[in-house]
Amino acid sequence: MFDLFIARRYLRAKRKQVVISVITAISVLGVAAGVMALLVALGLATLITRSIVLPVQQLVRVSVSISRGEWDAVIPSVDSGDEIGKLAVAFDRMSKELRTLYDKLETRVIARTSELETVAKVSAAAAAILDLDKLLQTTSELTRDSF
């Protein structure tokens, strides 16, 4: 009978040890799964962040170039249809429009400068020539040559 008591006690202890081993294994697997999920989440967060940050950084570099007057700076193409893609398209349009406006303004400044030079020449001639016929002749020649 004593042997039976010891055998029962041994079996109970053995069952408890098996249950504890199973619980320990489940705990280790749970921790491992949690670590794996964390690593996957960090990887996805990094990819998503790069897909947002890199195009914005490229647009910042191009905007700095354009602000320095480098009108031929290449706008990076963003193939996404999200807000970043729309921003890149709008930025490209804005850059082209600025380039066109700047070229038009430069052309107008050159034309205006030429006109002012003509006026300065005519004014100098008008101040120096006292004979009215000669003044009219010189003025018409200067005006004709300038335009």
Side-chain angles (χ1 to χ4, degrees), residues 25-102:
I26 291 172
S27 297
V28 168
L29 287 175
V31 169
V35 168
M36 289 301 290
L38 180 62
L39 290 174
V40 168
L42 286 174
L44 286 174
T46 301
L47 288 175
I48 291 170
T49 301
R50 283 187 183 182
S51 71
I52 293 171
V53 171
L54 288 178
V56 171
Q57 287 176 339
Q58 290 172 338
L59 287 174
V60 167
R61 278 189 231 111
V62 170
S63 68
V64 168
S65 296
I66 290 174
S67 72
R68 285 190 224 132
E70 298 170 12
W71 301 110
D72 295 327
V74 178
I75 307 297
S77 65
V78 178
D79 297 330
S80 63
D82 60 1
E83 289 81 8
I84 301 296
K86 291 176 185 176
L87 178 64
V89 169
F91 199 85
D92 186 46
R93 271 192 245 130
M94 179 187 67
S95 171
K96 289 176 182 174
E97 184 67 25
L98 279 172
R99 186 178 308 133
T100 302
L101 289 172
Y102 186 79

